[in-house]
Amino acid sequence: MSQICCLNPDCYNPPVPDKTKFCPNCGVPLVILRNRYRPVKPLGGGGFGKTYLAQDIDKLNEKCVIKQFAPQTQNTYALKKAKDLFDQEAKQLKDLNHSQIPQLQAYFDEDDCLYLIQDFIDGENLLIELANGETFDNQKIRELLLNLLPVLKTVHDQDIIHRDIKPENIMRRRDSKLFLIDFGASKQLQGTMRPGTKIGTFGYAAAEQMEDREVYPASDLFSLGATCFHLMTRVHPWELWKTQGYSWVKKWRSHLQQSVSLELGQILDKLLQLEYQNRYQSAEEVLQVLQPPPKFTNSSRRGFIKTGALFIGGVTVAVVVQNIFGTKNQKSTPEITTSANTPTPQNTPTPEITTSSNNLNSFNFEVVKTDSTGSIISRSNSSANYFTEDLGNGVTLEMVEIPGGTFYMGSPENEAQRDSDESPQHQVTVPSFFMAKYQLTQAQYQAIIGTNPSNFKGNNRPVEKVSWDDAVAFCQGLSQKTGKNYRLPSESEWEYACRAGTTTPFYFGESITPDLVNYDGNYPYASAPKGQYRQQTTDVGTFPPNAFGLYDMHGNVYEWCLDDYQQNYSNAPIDGSALTSLNVNTRLIRSSSWNAFGTGCRSAVRNLNTRVHKDSIMGFRVVVSSRTQ
């Protein structure tokens, strides 16, 4: 490879040309760890460290993975807890000698950072396979169990509970061999020791795990059952858990799109028992039911589409919640690869440009209002002020003036299909600011960062497959270019801007249709009829704006906010600022996406994901507090 990667955790653009002595972006000296491990590309990261693809010079540049522990917090308890977990992961990788677990190569301290070097698994995780159209029938699920249960037996025999088994943490190497990865969440089982922190992924994690009770081998077996369910049905357990709690496990068969064999159905019934005592108590018990195992051959696996960059979970340790959490109101839908030719935007007004008294430009647009069926019942004309940033090469960014004001944040208790984390509804006063007129486009992202990670290509489509860290890096790059302090919006700024003075479930009114919002029209809200499901993003500005002149505040892609996620609004800021003091790895997401249900598009809906998560439903838009800041 012809590049090296800067290991400064704060560097906004780490990859640089090889033979460079100092990073041109942050000025930090570039290093080859122990004169052996050359970092070449960032793979992910979180609040306590980052993960890099690397080359082992002593092994003819064989690929490996560097996990760097570089905490960005001064919280003493959080630091100690995170370091303990990082040490624990290194120790457990050393002890877990299994051909289907990435092996620890080295663990050392250098330049005040801890580094863990482990095997690189050249392949894709099962969630990517699912998104690329792979089908998991009875035989494939059986093969999955027969391949992973012996791995779990080895793990459990060492008194270790993985605690985060899910499709993302099961890798299939290019030769079809399955690997269990990411032991950053694993926990040593010592008698009836309580975990003390919630570690795992909602939907996949067993009830005892999420309730801070003891964890058992049966806890991992529940997660394995939930993983099989997801792969067979394409229904994300999180989507069911957030609306039904654990009651979904009793009727998991209702989501099947194919028949399930008697044997496999009975196994999943027992794996998905709510109480751990009613599940299999060991991996060996499940294997005994599956015997005699069929011979596993490479030819039994269908081919799949390769998707470019491989994501390997970074050091995602946290004090409250760790690792990747499924986005609320999101369905597990295959990513659709499209041509670079994108449709011409529709309903995008040609702005009438005038000069206002404060030296801003203005544009005119139409605002529509809807009833509970999503039908338009009124139309009105409006206008808004804005200024334009020149990003170079003919690419511009329009920033709309959002007047300050006071509003009620959250949803009222009588709003249909609301979630508990939208409470308590509370009054917030938001100072004026400027917000991007559109979700950030691929052309705008590439103008600053130089790359385009998006799945659905098109210059005027929103950029997606960007993590929270990627969005923050863009803001830093844009700030350097313009001299202004660009950032992600706070959660309250986002909801205030979305509502634009409305108190209804949507800024349009009581409901929506796919003529107004890009979402899955098969799942309408209120009395609206079913409609189109596009299964991909659309050009920004395709649908009507709200009263502030902002487009796609409902649908298209989810938008990262600056805030840490907390489960309700107790003690939330009331001055428009962001909540950033929780020392957690999860970040707030607002808006919704092209594959969201109608209820997920409401103005009050709150979502979460880890800061390193990337998906074709994830994007962002930027704000700046002042035009001259």
Side-chain angles (χ1 to χ4, degrees), residues 291-308:
Q291 295 296 340
K295 185 178 180 182
F296 179 73
T297 63
N298 290 348
S299 62
S300 66
R301 177 174 174 260
R302 277 180 47 193
F304 53 87
I305 304 168
K306 296 186 173 115
T307 61

Side-chain angles (χ1 to χ4, degrees), residues 304-484:
F304 53 87
I305 304 168
K306 296 186 173 115
T307 61
L310 167 71
F311 172 76
I312 295 180
V315 185
T316 52
V317 291
V319 177
V320 180
V321 186
Q322 299 178 331
N323 291 317
I324 296 177
F325 287 72
T327 305
K328 293 170 54 185
N329 303 306
Q330 172 192 339
K331 298 193 312 167
S332 181
T333 306
E335 294 181 357
I336 310 297
T337 303
T338 61
S339 160
N341 298 322
T342 56
T344 304
Q346 301 172 359
N347 302 324
T348 307
T350 303
E352 177 184 337
I353 307 297
T354 59
T355 303
S356 63
S357 58
N358 59 359
N359 216 19
L360 295 170
N361 293 323
S362 68
F363 66 101
N364 300 324
F365 52 90
E366 183 181 71
V367 178
V368 302
K369 185 177 181 181
T370 61
D371 59 16
S372 62
T373 68
S375 301
I376 296 174
I377 57 176
S378 69
R379 300 176 183 268
S380 60
N381 294 321
S382 188
S383 64
N385 296 327
Y386 74 103
F387 71 89
T388 302
E389 292 283 17
D390 184 358
L391 306 187
N393 296 322
V395 180
T396 59
L397 172 68
E398 293 176 312
M399 299 296 297
V400 177
E401 184 178 33
I402 308 298
T406 299
F407 80 114
Y408 278 95
M409 186 173 181
S411 61
E413 292 187 1
N414 63 353
E415 185 166 301
Q417 300 182 43
R418 69 187 297 271
D419 282 342
S420 60
D421 67 351
E422 299 164 22
S423 298
Q425 197 173 28
H426 59 292
Q427 195 175 70
V428 179
T429 299
V430 180
S432 62
F433 61 101
F434 289 84
M435 177 175 258
K437 184 177 182 180
Y438 305 113
Q439 294 170 335
L440 197 84
T441 68
Q442 295 172 33
Q444 291 165 343
Y445 188 84
Q446 188 154 5
I448 299 298
I449 300 300
T451 59
N452 178 10
S454 305
N455 181 61
F456 304 113
K457 300 296 186 189
N459 284 339
N460 291 322
R461 293 194 186 201
V463 67
E464 16 93 0
K465 300 194 84 167
V466 286
S467 66
W468 186 89
D469 288 334
D470 292 335
V472 169
F474 176 89
C475 293
Q476 292 171 345
L478 181 60
S479 298
Q480 286 186 346
K481 183 176 182 64
T482 63
K484 302 182 182 71

Side-chain angles (χ1 to χ4, degrees), residues 513-515 517-522 529-535 594:
T513 67
D515 293 332
V517 174
N518 183 14
Y519 70 104
D520 186 348
N522 292 311
K530 289 185 178 182
Q532 183 180 7
Y533 176 29
R534 296 176 178 84
Q535 302 186 52
W594 53 268

Side-chain angles (χ1 to χ4, degrees), residues 500-551:
T502 63
T503 58
T504 48
F506 307 90
Y507 64 68
F508 293 109
E510 296 296 334
S511 194
I512 53 173
T513 67
D515 293 332
L516 300 173
V517 174
N518 183 14
Y519 70 104
D520 186 348
N522 292 311
Y523 300 91
Y525 182 81
S527 302
K530 289 185 178 182
Q532 183 180 7
Y533 176 29
R534 296 176 178 84
Q535 302 186 52
Q536 58 184 288
T537 59
T538 49
D539 279 17
V540 299
T542 298
F543 303 98
N546 68 6
F548 283 158
L550 300 173
Y551 291 78

Side-chain angles (χ1 to χ4, degrees), residues 138 145 252-253 260-273 278-280 286 289:
N138 285 270
L145 291 171
W252 67 269
R253 293 168 183 264
V260 62
S261 69
L262 177 63
E263 175 198 51
L264 184 57
Q266 290 174 341
I267 289 173
L268 290 178
D269 282 339
K270 193 162 183 177
L271 288 173
L272 292 173
Q273 288 293 310
N278 297 330
R279 300 178 211 136
Y280 297 103
V286 193
V289 177

